[in-house]
């Protein structure tokens, strides 16, 4: 139903939804198929897959803080463009993982078949330097040593991808 919720024990809190429709979300966001959410430094980063962007919600102030990815008016042929948050493009971002030591977020950009890096300090997005089978990957996590563990539905694999950002 295009909502992001926090489940803690038997309590469910609705953080963000596309519409209220009988709910009490803290933030209204134009979601279209949010797939994955991660929290970092008081912010919730959410893949907004069908809108081809990443939504940033400030959890302390309960507000939409930023959208990473150019507007939907951009043609999808321009997907996979690096640059500033308001100029970069995604094509079906589906998975997120945080590298806390590098202060960046990895994004599985499925239809661009790429692993993207959201540099939080610089507010830019770049494509990871190594090949990545993003079209089949749906979940990723970043280990403390900087390695990425990726899993895919199609081939039922678990792969350890030792990517080092900026190399």
């Amino acid at each position: 139903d295009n909502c992001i919720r926090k489940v803690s024990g038997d309590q469910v809190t609705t953080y963000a939804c596309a519409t209220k429709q009988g709910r009490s979300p803290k933030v209204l966001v134009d979601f279209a198929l949010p797939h994955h959410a991660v929290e970092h430094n008081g912010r919730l980063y959410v893949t907004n897959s069908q809108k081809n962007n990443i939504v940033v919600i400030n959890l302390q102030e309960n507000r939409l803080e930023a959208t990473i990815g150019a507007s939907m008016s951009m043609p999808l042929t321009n997907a996979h463009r690096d640059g500033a948050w308001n100029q970069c493009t995604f094509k079906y971002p589906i998975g997120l993982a945080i590298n806390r030591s590098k202060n960046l977020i990895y994004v599985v950009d499925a239809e661009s078949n790429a692993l993207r890096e959201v540099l939080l300090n610089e507010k830019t997005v770049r494509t990871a330097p190594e090949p990545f089978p993003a079209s089949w990957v749906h979940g990723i996590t970043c280990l403390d040593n900087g390695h990425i563990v990726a899993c895919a539905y199609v081939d039922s694999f678990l792969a350890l991808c030792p990517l080092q950002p900026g190399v």
Side-chain angles (χ1 to χ4, degrees), residues 55-67:
V55 172
V56 183
I57 298 170
N58 185 309
L59 296 174
Q60 282 81 30
E61 299 174 13
N62 292 322
R63 67 178 177 86
L64 176 65
E65 186 170 292
T67 301

Side-chain angles (χ1 to χ4, degrees), residues 51 61 63 126 142 145 151 166:
K51 295 284 185 176
E61 299 174 13
R63 67 178 177 86
R126 67 183 179 200
C142 188
N145 64 4
C151 61

Side-chain angles (χ1 to χ4, degrees), residues 38-45 98 100 103-105 120:
V38 294
E39 185 276 331
H40 182 58
N41 291 339
R43 289 168 181 79
L44 191 65
Y45 297 85
I98 296 175
R100 294 183 192 282
N103 203 33
L104 65 84
I105 296 176
L120 299 175

Side-chain angles (χ1 to χ4, degrees), residues 7-140:
V7 179
S8 179
D10 61 352
Q11 186 172 7
V12 178
T13 304
T14 302
Y15 274 106
C17 280
T19 61
K20 286 192 176 186
Q21 295 181 345
R23 301 176 201 90
S24 299
K26 295 176 181 274
V27 181
L28 284 176
V29 177
D30 187 20
F31 280 133
L33 206 57
H35 267 103
H36 197 116
V38 294
E39 185 276 331
H40 182 58
N41 291 339
R43 289 168 181 79
L44 191 65
Y45 297 85
V46 184
T47 58
N48 198 8
S49 298
Q50 288 184 341
K51 295 284 185 176
N52 297 308
N53 60 35
I54 309 295
V55 172
V56 183
I57 298 170
N58 185 309
L59 296 174
Q60 282 81 30
E61 299 174 13
N62 292 322
R63 67 178 177 86
L64 176 65
E65 186 170 292
T67 301
I68 305 171
S71 73
M72 281 299 294
S73 62
M74 299 294 294
L76 287 180
T77 56
N78 287 339
H80 196 102
R81 185 174 66 205
D82 294 345
W85 283 8
N86 64 344
Q87 296 172 346
C88 68
T89 54
F90 294 96
K91 192 168 183 184
Y92 210 78
I94 193 168
L96 297 173
I98 296 175
N99 185 324
R100 294 183 192 282
S101 66
K102 301 275 186 183
N103 203 33
L104 65 84
I105 296 176
Y106 294 108
V107 179
V108 175
D109 200 6
E111 291 187 18
S112 292
N113 200 31
L115 182 68
R116 311 293 295 286
E117 299 172 343
V118 176
L119 296 112
L120 299 175
N121 293 337
E122 296 85 355
K123 294 195 174 187
T124 60
V125 174
R126 67 183 179 200
T127 303
E130 298 189 27
F132 192 74
S135 63
W136 301 112
V137 172
H138 290 85
I140 59 173

